[in-house]
């Protein structure tokens, strides 16, 4: 056992970051870029539309990691912008969008609560969008007034409530649960 004066001899604790994508192959480039920057990162496949995939990912994480300190929920799809010539039904667009953006995110978060509970200071971040703001949507002069992504906006509004339920559930335990809008960012969803 080292004394305080010897603490510089102890190895620094290692922290691994995990990034997820629908398939390992689709996330491989991001993992490679992060590793090139010297970060300790691994990839994991999670299909938010599949309870089996979510459960398997949670089990894998439990076997490899003693805890999760920070969970960032960043997945999202926007079928409103689809250029499909044979437009699928509106019900199907709502189901597909909500299945990923709301239901899958909520189910994954719940599966990871046991690992988050093992952290000294658990954090959950839900990445949202101003497009899910009811007050902004009601403003005729909103900078997004002309953007017709109603299904996506509805799903992000619902995700706001998912975030609020986690705030309420874990406030007394000292968890930090945040909902954040990163602004307009370059992603595959908006064509970079």
């Amino acid at each position: 056992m080292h004394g305080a004066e010897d603490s510089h001899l102890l190895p620094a604790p290692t922290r691994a970051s995990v990034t997820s994508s629908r398939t390992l192959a689709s996330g491989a480039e991001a993992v490679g870029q992060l590793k090139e920057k010297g970060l300790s990162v691994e990839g994991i496949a999670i299909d938010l539309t599949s309870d089996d995939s979510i459960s398997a990912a949670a089990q894998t994480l439990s076997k490899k990691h003693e805890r999760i300190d920070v969970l960032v929920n960043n997945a999202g799809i926007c079928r409103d912008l689809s250029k499909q010539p044979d437009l699928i039904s509106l019900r199907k667009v709502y189901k597909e969008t909500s299945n990923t953006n709301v239901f899958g995110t909520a189910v994954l978060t719940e599966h990871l609560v046991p690992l988050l509970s093992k952290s000294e200071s658990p954090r959950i971040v839900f990445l949202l969008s101003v497009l899910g703001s009811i007050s902004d949507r009601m403003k005729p002069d909103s900078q997004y007034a002309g953007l017709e992504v109603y299904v996506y906006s509805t799903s992000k509004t619902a995700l706001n409530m998912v975030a609020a339920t986690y705030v309420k559930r874990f406030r007394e335990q000292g968890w930090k649960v945040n909902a954040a809008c990163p602004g307009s960012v370059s992603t595959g969803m908006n064509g970079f």
Side-chain angles (χ1 to χ4, degrees):
M1 183 170 180
H2 297 280
E5 67 278 355
D6 297 326
S7 62
H8 65 281
L9 300 175
L10 297 174
T14 58
R15 288 195 170 168
S17 294
V18 178
T19 184
S20 66
S21 54
R22 284 183 206 105
T23 65
L24 286 177
S26 64
E29 183 180 348
V31 169
Q33 289 173 351
L34 292 169
K35 284 184 174 182
E36 284 175 8
K37 293 181 180 188
L39 299 172
S40 173
V41 65
E42 62 187 74
I44 189 170
I46 305 175
D47 178 352
L48 290 180
T49 65
S50 165
D51 287 346
D52 290 340
S53 176
I54 292 170
S55 180
Q59 288 174 16
T60 297
L61 289 168
S62 292
K63 289 175 185 170
K64 294 176 108 179
H65 304 282
E66 63 185 43
R67 71 181 188 276
I68 293 176
D69 294 315
V70 180
L71 170 62
V72 178
N73 287 304
N74 187 34
I77 62 170
C78 183
R79 294 289 187 240
D80 302 70
L81 301 176
S82 176
K83 303 289 189 240
Q84 299 174 16
D86 55 341
L87 186 63
I88 56 179
S89 76
L90 182 59
R91 180 179 301 277
K92 188 170 181 181
V93 172
Y94 268 103
K95 284 172 88 171
E96 287 179 357
T97 303
S98 294
N99 200 18
T100 296
N101 297 1
V102 184
F103 311 140
T105 299
V107 171
L108 175 65
T109 302
E110 195 59 32
H111 269 77
L112 298 180
V113 163
L115 282 171
L116 285 157
S117 296
K118 294 177 182 178
S119 174
E120 290 182 17
S121 184
R123 306 276 194 267
I124 304 174
V125 179
F126 292 91
L127 286 179
L128 301 172
S129 172
V130 69
L131 297 173
S133 166
I134 294 172
S135 60
D136 187 77
R137 182 57 42 184
M138 301 304 288
K139 294 178 189 173
D141 60 343
S142 164
Q143 68 180 24
Y144 302 104
L147 192 56
E148 297 182 5
V149 288
Y150 305 119
V151 177
Y152 176 78
S153 296
T154 301
S155 74
K156 289 300 184 175
T157 302
L159 190 57
N160 269 309
M161 184 54 73
V162 171
T165 63
Y166 280 93
V167 168
K168 185 175 183 343
R169 276 178 62 189
F170 295 108
R171 179 181 291 136
E172 296 295 317
Q173 291 98 314
W175 290 35
K176 301 294 183 201
V177 180
N178 294 293
C181 174
S184 183
V185 295
S186 175
T187 68
M189 188 168 63
N190 63 20
F192 301 99

